[in-house]
Amino acid sequence: ELNDFLDETNTVLIKDFDNDETVFSHNADKQFKSASVMKLYLLAYYMYIGVPLDKVYHIEKKQMIGTSIITELKLTEVKLSDMLLYMIGFSDNTATNVLLAETTFEKLNEFNQSVIGTQNTVIARKMLDYKAAEQGRDNLTSLSDVYKVVRFLWKYDFARECMKAQKCPERLGRYIYDNSITLYLKSGSIPMVHNDVGVLEKNGRHAFASVLTYSDDKSKAKRLCGVA
């Protein structure tokens, strides 16, 4: 059934996460638009450099943008732990852009290449900066790279808790009704893009599942995530 969905508009990678073995792969090294999946790389950077999670960020009104708990609640002081949790669990774009500005694209891309070992990932714009995307500066990744960053994040308890906070039943969790399965995910959507990646845990065993799509029918993309 999975093969019925596959073409050049999507990529799928499924791994036995415990044994680091590939179960299924389609276009795993091909670059796709990452959308909010790129936030995993920013989370990994902050886990790596070890900034205290109780560090407080002062948020100015001009920094607040859409799709953001910080914006909706008009929060002006936010701890790093909450910034990262909002960014991953609720895809908060204000938190992401504040942290991107602090990190810089240069440092994040260098970290991705030298520490994570990415080969197909480029972070080149902030969230909701569609003008930059139109100018050719976009955020790109591949599932082979995403798998590397998820494996890196897995050793951090806090990172796993952030991924566990995501609740998005239309994607990888679409057909899961088993309460004994725990999901650790990060989804992403922008126009023509529908993504979800993460780890599924049951009875102490773990599977990595991931789907990126571009210019694919949204209904088909959602069903592909569920089947994967």
Side-chain angles (χ1 to χ4, degrees):
E1 184 178 2
L2 183 57
N3 287 315
D4 295 339
F5 291 88
L6 303 180
D7 52 40
E8 291 308 303
T9 68
N10 51 54
T11 172
V12 177
L13 181 62
I14 302 171
K15 305 269 288 190
D16 179 331
F17 199 63
D18 298 317
N19 297 313
D20 193 20
E21 295 178 351
T22 300
V23 176
F24 185 90
S25 179
H26 169 70
N27 286 336
D29 293 324
K30 184 177 178 179
Q31 274 189 331
F32 279 76
K33 292 178 182 289
S34 64
S36 287
V37 167
M38 63 76 58
K39 295 169 183 175
L40 291 174
Y41 296 103
L42 193 54
L43 174 63
Y45 177 83
Y46 276 88
M47 294 294 94
Y48 181 74
I49 64 175
V51 176
L53 291 176
D54 60 358
K55 176 182 176 179
V56 175
Y57 289 79
H58 299 278
I59 312 298
E60 300 179 18
K61 185 176 181 179
K62 65 181 180 180
Q63 295 175 298
M64 297 182 182
I65 60 174
T67 315
S68 168
I69 290 175
I70 293 174
T71 300
E72 292 176 9
L73 298 182
K74 297 180 175 59
L75 303 178
T76 57
E77 292 190 347
V78 186
K79 292 189 300 183
L80 177 60
S81 58
D82 291 332
M83 295 271 281
L84 295 173
L85 178 63
Y86 297 163
M87 180 180 74
I88 300 300
F90 308 97
S91 219
D92 192 299
N93 287 326
T94 297
T96 305
N97 283 358
V98 170
L99 295 178
L100 274 174
E102 178 180 65
T103 304
T104 75
F105 297 126
E106 292 77 13
K107 288 182 181 179
L108 182 56
N109 284 310
E110 171 59 26
F111 164 77
N112 289 337
Q113 294 169 17
S114 63
V115 178
I116 303 299
T118 60
Q119 296 181 318
N120 309 299
T121 297
V122 177
I123 310 300
R125 69 169 178 86
K126 291 184 176 181
M127 297 294 99
L128 303 186
D129 189 354
Y130 295 122
K131 184 176 181 179
E134 291 172 359
Q135 295 172 346
R137 293 181 284 115
D138 212 339
N139 298 330
L140 306 171
T141 195
S142 69
L143 288 183
S144 56
D145 282 354
V146 173
Y147 177 69
K148 293 175 183 177
V149 74
V150 172
R151 287 204 70 88
F152 177 87
L153 287 168
W154 199 249
K155 61 188 176 184
Y156 295 96
D157 292 342
F158 180 76
R160 295 198 304 273
E161 287 303 307
C162 289
M163 294 177 69
K164 187 178 177 181
Q166 176 175 290
K167 302 293 185 291
C168 190
E170 291 186 324
R171 307 191 194 211
L172 288 174
R174 183 179 178 92
Y175 303 127
I176 294 177
Y177 303 99
D178 185 344
N179 289 331
S180 68
I181 297 177
T182 304
L183 305 177
Y184 303 83
L185 304 173
K186 183 72 202 87
S187 64
S189 291
I190 54 177
M192 298 193 297
V193 171
H194 192 79
N195 299 337
D196 204 12
V197 305
V199 174
L200 291 74
E201 179 183 47
K202 180 179 174 69
N203 297 331
R205 299 293 304 277
H206 303 86
F208 172 84
S210 52
V211 175
L212 306 179
T213 74
Y214 179 69
S215 193
D216 205 353
D217 177 76
K218 191 171 184 178
S219 176
K220 174 187 170 185
K222 290 179 180 180
R223 292 171 62 203
L224 172 59
C225 287
V227 173

